[in-house]
């Protein structure tokens, strides 16, 4: 299976705000340009999959608007069937949602930094929680080429899982809005084909 993971376009939210599973829209001033870039990256990814997979492509998206709006445009443009799966949503930050990062108590941020795998904000998820749900999604999908429009957290976790790396091994890997991660998954291992471009 070829997994083509696309990060959603820039959201319509002020800088410095925690927005995890808050269902915010997309920045209208950057949407069209980012969609054009994503479409071009998707075409390049399809070239890397080879012509044999051209009839077995489909798309799945996080249902949050910032992914779903992009997925709808891309699926229509590339003629892909589209489905949604809540397991691909970003981490839920609970009481931190839509709060400026600077307004969150320093001791809470420090506790999260000290134990990022297990710590969950009040009413929110830990990284392990998110890893479990994306793993549950990944182990139940099949097909030749699957395009996934999702968020940075799930992309990093899926990359680590597919590559057999520790859960947070990809946590510092940068990926711009609209960026792509392409993984070629075999029965016992996976290859990282592209990260970023």
């Amino acid at each position: 299976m070829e997994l083509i993971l696309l990060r959603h376009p820039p959201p319509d939210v002020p800088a410095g705000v925690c927005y995890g599973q808050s269902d915010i829209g997309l920045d209208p001033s950057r949407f069209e340009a980012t969609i054009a870039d994503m479409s071009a990256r998707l075409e390049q990814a399809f070239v890397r999959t080879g012509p044999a997979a051209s009839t077995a492509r489909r798309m799945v998206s996080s249902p949050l608007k910032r992914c779903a709006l992009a997925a709808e445009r891309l699926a229509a443009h590339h003629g892909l069937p589209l489905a949604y799966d809540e397991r691909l949503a970003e981490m839920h930050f609970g009481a931190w949602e839509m709060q400026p990062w600077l307004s969150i108590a320093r001791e809470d941020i420090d506790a999260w930094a000290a134990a990022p795998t297990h710590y969950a904000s009040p009413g929110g998820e830990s990284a392990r929680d998110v890893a479990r749900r994306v793993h549950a999604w990944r182990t139940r999908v099949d097909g030749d080429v699957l395009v996934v429009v999702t968020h940075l957290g799930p992309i990093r976790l899926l990359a680590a899982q597919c590559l057999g790396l520790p859960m947070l091994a990809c946590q510092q890997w940068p990926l711009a809005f609209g960026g792509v991660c392409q993984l070629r998954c075999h029965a016992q291992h996976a290859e990282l084909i592209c990260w970023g471009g």
Side-chain angles (χ1 to χ4, degrees):
M1 174 191 289
E2 203 92 7
L3 276 180
I4 302 169
L5 309 172
L6 291 163
R7 187 181 182 195
H8 62 79
D12 190 15
V13 63
V17 170
C18 175
Y19 57 88
Q21 279 193 27
S22 296
D23 201 10
I24 54 179
L26 293 165
D27 181 346
S29 69
R30 297 189 281 173
F31 179 67
E32 294 299 335
T34 307
I35 286 292
D37 288 344
M38 292 173 77
S39 185
R41 289 185 179 114
L42 188 51
E43 285 293 344
Q44 292 167 354
F46 286 155
V47 169
R48 291 189 291 264
T49 67
S54 63
T55 60
R57 300 171 180 160
R58 58 194 176 92
M59 180 178 285
V60 62
S61 173
S62 159
L64 298 178
K65 283 186 289 194
R66 58 191 185 271
C67 292
L69 293 171
E72 288 163 11
R73 284 283 296 274
L74 293 168
H77 180 76
H78 294 276
L80 302 174
L82 172 61
Y84 301 93
D85 198 304
E86 292 181 354
R87 292 171 293 184
L88 294 169
E90 185 58 283
M91 176 183 281
H92 195 302
F93 285 101
W96 296 0
E97 291 280 339
M98 297 308 293
Q99 301 301 311
W101 284 104
L102 292 176
S103 73
I104 299 168
R106 185 73 231 177
E107 58 268 21
D108 291 340
I109 298 290
D110 290 344
W112 184 34
T117 301
H118 304 288
Y119 183 87
S121 58
E125 294 178 295
S126 68
R128 185 174 299 282
D129 295 330
V130 182
R132 283 183 181 134
R133 62 176 162 81
V134 297
H135 177 75
W137 171 81
R138 182 178 65 86
T139 56
R140 288 168 179 79
V141 294
D142 56 16
D144 291 335
V145 179
L146 187 59
V147 180
V148 182
V149 182
T150 186
H151 312 264
L152 184 57
I155 290 172
R156 287 171 167 164
L157 290 166
L158 284 166
Q161 289 175 10
C162 290
L163 296 170
L165 299 173
M167 186 172 68
L168 298 181
C170 306
Q171 196 62 23
Q172 300 303 316
W173 292 12
L175 187 66
F177 292 114
V180 64
C181 165
Q182 185 169 357
L183 296 155
R184 188 160 296 148
C185 302
H186 307 284
Q188 300 300 323
H189 72 285
E191 303 168 67
L192 180 61
I193 306 301
C194 175
W195 181 275

